[in-house]
Amino acid sequence: MSSDHHCSFVGKMNWRKQGSSLHPTVHILSVHQNCSAAASNQTVGWLVGLNGAHFGEDFRLTEGEVSLGSGWDADIVLTSPEVSRTHAKIQSTAHMSVVQDCESGSGVYVNGELAADPRALMHGDIVKLGLGEFVFYSISPAGDEHVRSRSLRPAGLQNKKDATLAWLVCLSGDLQGTDFRLIAGSNRIGSAAGLEVSLPDPNIHAAHFIIECSPERFYLRKQSADLQIQRAGLPVEAGVLKDGDVIRAGAMTMKMRIFS
């Protein structure tokens, strides 16, 4: 496995408690985003690239203000053409995300319309920054009937190396609010370093379970008996996973969120 793999970075971090000034940076290039953790920075959604330099990459949005731009001092660094150094910001609460242009050179567009004023984002909205287009994917979409009849996942995503197909979102414990991306192929999940998803939890076995991902199917294979799956509040056997399924492993509870 290459040293810059999207999850091997987790094993290299010094995990810090909430409030520590040494807590690892939350918003950096998408490839390194699996290492955020503080409960005060809970994930509220993602921007997923639909074209260009960031096609298939996801950028985490957390509660509070997140800046986006081409400058390395931005919370989310974008390399798409025509992105200003400080292009825009997104202010989020647990229930709403609002995008605002920061006097950029090329503006911010939402669903093809220039957003000259702050604009609340809805699940499935297309945000254009420079020449880059991103879909806003909410962690807990509400009132999203307008997008249920169509797929938000762009064509060709299955052919993009390390493209995000789903996320595991921690619902409990020290990692509450943290998300871990799942990519095409076998995602090994456990406490051992170097896995596709490394969970620093003493109750998780070194290799606890595997989620095999493809655009057509998400399949869980147990490697430990200490694992439960719930769908709509009812227990189900290991096997095909659906969006919203809850996985309990050790002392951790995680929600499956499928990019569809």
Side-chain angles (χ1 to χ4, degrees), residues 222-246:
K222 281 187 175 184
Q223 293 189 293
S224 169
D226 185 16
L227 188 143
Q228 298 177 340
I229 306 170
Q230 289 188 344
R231 182 173 301 153
L234 299 175
V236 295
E237 295 295 326
V240 175
L241 292 172
K242 302 293 185 181
D243 184 47
D245 283 356
V246 173

Side-chain angles (χ1 to χ4, degrees), residues 111-130:
N111 298 329
E113 297 180 355
L114 179 65
D117 298 316
R119 178 79 63 91
L121 296 176
M122 295 185 64
H123 179 68
D125 280 352
I126 306 300
V127 181
K128 185 177 181 181
L129 306 168

Side-chain angles (χ1 to χ4, degrees), residues 71-258:
W72 288 98
D73 54 347
D75 294 321
I76 293 179
V77 179
L78 300 175
T79 59
S80 298
E82 298 189 13
V83 172
S84 300
R85 180 178 179 86
T86 303
H87 196 104
K89 63 181 179 181
I90 296 180
Q91 185 76 33
S92 298
T93 67
H95 307 291
M96 178 181 293
S97 291
V98 176
V99 64
Q100 181 177 346
D101 187 10
C102 294
E103 300 183 355
S104 65
S106 57
V108 174
Y109 290 80
V110 179
N111 298 329
E113 297 180 355
L114 179 65
D117 298 316
R119 178 79 63 91
L121 296 176
M122 295 185 64
H123 179 68
D125 280 352
I126 306 300
V127 181
K128 185 177 181 181
L129 306 168
L131 297 183
E133 293 186 341
F134 305 83
V135 61
F136 171 65
Y137 210 79
S138 174
I139 197 169
S140 299
D144 62 346
E145 291 81 3
H146 68 298
V147 298
R148 288 178 179 170
S149 60
R150 62 184 176 91
S151 174
L152 301 180
R153 190 165 56 201
L157 190 65
Q158 65 270 24
N159 300 320
K160 176 71 164 61
K161 182 182 178 182
D162 290 351
T164 301
L165 296 182
W167 301 270
L168 279 178
V169 182
C170 296
L171 303 180
S172 64
D174 291 340
L175 300 183
Q176 181 177 352
T178 306
D179 67 281
F180 294 87
R181 73 169 46 81
L182 302 175
I183 63 174
S186 294
N187 295 266
R188 300 165 298 167
I189 301 163
S191 59
L195 302 182
E196 282 68 38
V197 176
S198 295
L199 301 173
D201 189 309
N203 299 295
I204 300 293
H205 295 176
H208 209 98
F209 59 104
I210 295 173
I211 296 181
E212 298 175 353
C213 297
S214 73
E216 296 78 26
R217 191 180 79 153
F218 298 83
Y219 196 90
L220 186 146
R221 298 188 185 278
K222 281 187 175 184
Q223 293 189 293
S224 169
D226 185 16
L227 188 143
Q228 298 177 340
I229 306 170
Q230 289 188 344
R231 182 173 301 153
L234 299 175
V236 295
E237 295 295 326
V240 175
L241 292 172
K242 302 293 185 181
D243 184 47
D245 283 356
V246 173
I247 301 170
R248 302 182 189 277
M252 295 188 66
T253 303
M254 295 165 281
K255 182 179 181 180
M256 186 76 175
R257 192 77 178 94
I258 295 175

Side-chain angles (χ1 to χ4, degrees), residues 8-18 20-25 35-38 175 200:
S8 62
F9 187 69
V10 175
K12 301 175 184 177
M13 299 302 299
N14 292 319
W15 288 79
R16 305 291 180 180
K17 294 296 184 181
Q18 177 181 347
S20 168
S21 61
L22 297 179
H23 194 282
T25 300
C35 60
S36 76
L175 300 183

